[in-house]
Amino acid sequence: MTTVTHRNSDIKIPSRGLKRSITSLAGWAVFFILLGWSWEGADMRPMALIDGAANMGKFASGFFPPDFTEWKMYVSEIIVTFKIALWGTALSILFAIPFGILSSENIVPWWVCQPVRRLMDTFRAINEMVFAMLFVVAVGLGPFAGVLALWIHTTGILAKLFSEAVESIDPRPIEGIRATGANALHEVIFGVIPQVLPLWISYSLYRFESNVRSATVLGIVGAGGVGMLLWEYIRGFYYAETAAVMILIIVSVSLLDLLSQRLRKMVT
Amino acid sequence: MVALIGASGSGKSTLIRHIAGLILSDKGSGKIEVLGTAIQSNGVLAKGVRSHRREIGVVFQQFNLVGRLSVLTNVLMGVLGQAPSWRTWFGIFTREENQRAMKALARVGIASHAIQRSSNLSGGQQQRAAIARTIVQGAKVLLADEPIASLDPASSRKVMDNLAHVNREDGVTVIVSLHQVDYAIKYCPRTVAMREGEIVFDGPSEQLTPEFLQQIYGADSLELFSPEEQRRKAAGENAKPTPERDATDELALAYAAR
């Protein structure tokens, strides 16, 4: 008989519960309050976009046509940028391997893992631009300061990514190696590394990609590469040249992204 | 060659992993010695346990090979406990060590697969590679934890034959845990039976008649025969449903059918 009554009256949709709807409403309320509170601090002036439209048009037109007359110098600076990124990444991979393993919960006891993790957090928390400014003071202006800045920051990031890969390995092969009377380092070399290597390579390539992008701005604080050039042009109001440099950066970074994507697909 | 039998969850693997020093016992629960040297006592690993582990080869249910390394490299892992570490840390193995590994692979019949990635081998072949690893290790005691539980009957037979060879030709003590009584009877003169962590039988395998198993395991004894036996038994039941026949008779029939 129930089927007949259903045909005439609507079936009640089960309620989601008052508590759940209140929590979700409260969540949204907090979000909008935060946005409103930050309005002033962030100096939000949408009208400035409209008022300054004419100015911006004039500014933008200064970029055209881009001036490529000095292209050889731009390309050589971009190559320097690549070199900075390459060395910065290579050094950080070298250091991220031991630090990554030492911050993996399933390999080392907590009293090793926790301090190493905090150290890596510190490396990661401070932006490479800040490190670059510090190293410019320490080792002088130029690409080497950029390499050191990338090295510290990327070591923190890669160690974290490497240890996440190590923590998700299959423990059984390691047990197999342990049962032969091998020592702890053997377990890592033959049991852990073969399992994580494809992921590690993929992460490293990705970080190289990101480091090339970061290296293009390191020059602004005097740490070498194409960023130095860019900064000088912008400060000197050479907008046509600035546009040319930016176009070359976009082209080379996109090419690198494509290449590294291919390589990463090959290893995993 | 000693068989360790029992239904799943009866403590076979736990016992084997304790003997190999791969897991620790509870505090104050005694001592484990192998070949006169302590492995662990009171829940603490003995000093120098790594060098004692060399003498104890372990074969696991899931083979525990490193899938991305070649079969040969996996077998060479057997020398890690003997060769100087400074050399093996860099993956350098001598000609003599390579030869020992190849000979071990030839003994278990998979020398032609030596340079393949071990993950590309079938389960039976992987298990034989794991046995080759213990041969290279020069183990005096071989603990096999359900070595054939995830293999088909043909591969199971080859693996058991390999274990029997190692036992007979090298004089290695082999302890193999099984949950199929027929393999225990066929390969091992002595059987230790476990139930809920306790030893309930220790004696010649001929005594393991279905009646006897029924007596010590009750209804669980059905689990202890290989799937083929169980299938045969089930088929027999469907063909002739005779309600007066009890479980013991069924087992006796299956046993006779071997």
Side-chain angles (χ1 to χ4, degrees):
Chain A
M1 278 304 111
T2 46
T3 47
V4 179
T5 52
H6 277 166
R7 212 170 283 165
N8 298 327
S9 62
D10 286 346
I11 302 169
K12 191 172 174 278
I13 297 167
S15 149
R16 295 178 77 196
L18 191 64
K19 201 176 157 195
R20 241 178 90 187
S21 5
I22 288 177
T23 349
S24 108
L25 267 178
W28 282 108
V30 168
F31 175 63
F32 283 113
I33 289 169
L34 272 176
L35 273 183
W37 175 69
S38 307
W39 181 271
E40 229 163 87
D43 187 25
M44 295 294 287
R45 289 177 289 118
M47 292 314 286
L49 276 175
I50 300 162
D51 295 342
N55 260 340
M56 281 199 293
K58 217 169 110 193
F59 180 64
S61 69
F63 284 93
F64 293 99
D67 180 0
F68 282 101
T69 40
E70 296 276 3
W71 69 273
K72 273 186 187 157
M73 196 244 294
Y74 305 160
V75 170
S76 86
E77 281 301 307
I78 286 175
I79 290 170
V80 170
T81 308
F82 270 85
K83 288 173 177 170
I84 295 171
L86 189 64
W87 266 102
T89 316
L91 285 176
S92 60
I93 293 170
L94 208 63
F95 281 77
I97 292 171
F99 280 131
I101 286 165
L102 289 176
S103 54
S104 304
E105 257 173 352
N106 53 345
I107 305 290
V108 294
W110 68 268
W111 47 267
V112 175
C113 158
Q114 289 302 330
V116 175
R117 273 193 193 175
R118 295 295 84 80
L119 181 68
M120 293 301 111
D121 287 349
T122 318
F123 286 1
R124 226 174 23 251
I126 297 162
N127 191 283
E128 54 260 65
M129 287 292 272
V130 181
F131 277 124
M133 285 191 271
L134 295 175
F135 279 120
V136 164
V137 177
V139 300
L141 289 170
F144 187 52
V147 169
L148 295 178
L150 288 179
W151 165 48
I152 301 283
H153 186 72
T154 311
T155 299
I157 292 172
L158 280 181
K160 164 104 176 152
L161 292 172
F162 283 8
S163 79
E164 268 169 16
V166 170
E167 281 174 355
S168 61
I169 57 166
D170 178 1
R172 290 176 302 197
I174 297 173
E175 208 166 49
I177 289 171
R178 184 177 306 154
T180 66
N183 60 36
L185 197 52
H186 283 134
E187 286 170 26
V188 170
I189 293 170
F190 295 105
V192 177
I193 297 201
Q195 288 193 60
V196 295
L197 201 59
L199 261 183
W200 281 13
I201 292 175
S202 170
Y203 288 148
S204 303
L205 280 170
Y206 176 68
R207 279 317 302 179
F208 175 61
E209 244 177 83
S210 329
N211 277 348
V212 171
R213 285 192 293 266
S214 305
T216 56
V217 290
L218 283 177
I220 293 175
V221 294
V226 74
M228 217 124 119
L229 197 67
L230 202 57
W231 185 229
E232 270 160 30
Y233 280 144
I234 293 174
R235 272 197 309 191
F237 307 106
Y238 296 106
Y239 292 134
E241 285 82 354
T242 307
V245 173
M246 289 203 307
I247 287 167
L248 283 177
I249 290 174
I250 292 166
V251 169
S252 50
V253 168
S254 318
L255 281 177
L256 177 78
D257 277 14
L258 283 175
L259 184 74
S260 132
Q261 222 171 44
R262 282 275 173 86
L263 284 173
R264 280 190 282 140
K265 271 201 185 127
M266 268 165 61
V267 293
T268 46
Chain B
M1 193 154 161
V2 181
L4 191 60
I5 64 160
S8 8
S10 58
K12 304 184 296 289
S13 299
T14 313
L15 177 63
I16 282 183
R17 293 161 64 79
H18 271 103
I19 301 174
L22 293 173
I23 47 174
L24 293 170
S25 62
D26 295 334
K27 277 213 170 70
S29 55
K31 188 172 177 182
I32 294 170
E33 280 186 7
V34 178
L35 304 166
T37 34
I39 298 296
Q40 54 170 302
S41 54
N42 285 326
V44 180
L45 275 181
K47 267 193 187 141
V49 72
R50 286 191 190 268
S51 58
H52 298 321
R53 278 204 189 115
R54 226 183 88 185
E55 320 218 289
I56 308 169
V58 187
V59 170
F60 300 84
Q61 180 179 346
Q62 293 301 330
F63 332 124
N64 292 18
L65 301 175
V66 184
R68 295 178 53 87
L69 295 180
S70 71
V71 176
L72 180 62
T73 315
N74 268 292
V75 174
L76 279 168
M77 297 295 102
V79 308
L80 293 181
Q82 311 156 35
S85 294
W86 58 263
R87 179 156 61 75
T88 49
W89 278 336
F90 296 98
I92 302 167
F93 297 100
T94 63
R95 227 186 97 126
E96 184 266 338
E97 285 162 354
N98 273 299
Q99 277 308 305
R100 256 166 66 204
M102 284 308 294
K103 277 182 191 139
L105 280 172
R107 269 185 75 183
V108 297
I110 51 170
S112 56
H113 300 298
I115 55 160
Q116 282 182 33
R117 267 192 188 178
S118 65
S119 57
N120 290 345
L121 264 59
S122 73
Q125 289 168 329
Q126 289 193 41
Q127 195 59 291
R128 283 145 74 194
I131 294 171
R133 182 164 70 183
T134 67
I135 295 175
V136 170
Q137 197 181 328
K140 298 198 180 77
V141 177
L142 204 167
L143 307 171
D145 182 10
E146 302 258 15
I148 57 171
S150 37
L151 302 179
D152 60 90
S155 306
S156 297
R157 232 167 291 129
K158 279 187 191 144
V159 165
M160 289 304 289
D161 285 341
N162 282 153
L163 289 174
H165 281 161
V166 171
N167 173 240
R168 238 175 299 130
E169 289 161 22
D170 305 355
V172 171
T173 305
V174 176
I175 299 174
V176 50
S177 81
L178 298 163
H179 59 238
Q180 295 162 8
V181 180
D182 28 356
Y183 281 101
I185 296 168
K186 188 171 170 202
Y187 285 96
C188 310
R190 179 180 160 196
T191 293
V192 174
M194 295 185 72
R195 190 183 60 199
E196 288 167 11
E198 304 276 338
I199 291 173
V200 287
F201 169 80
D202 180 359
S205 302
E206 303 96 70
Q207 286 183 17
L208 293 171
T209 58
E211 292 78 15
F212 183 70
L213 287 171
Q214 167 79 15
Q215 201 182 316
I216 55 176
Y217 286 116
D220 287 347
S221 65
L222 292 168
E223 217 187 290
L224 296 170
F225 282 89
S226 62
E228 310 108 84
E229 303 273 311
Q230 285 181 20
R231 252 199 308 280
R232 227 174 299 167
K233 194 174 64 66
E237 263 176 4
N238 292 340
K240 273 185 276 169
T242 42
E244 69 273 15
R245 215 198 275 152
D246 65 21
T248 320
D249 288 330
E250 290 294 339
L251 273 172
L253 261 183
Y255 191 64
R258 278 167 30 85

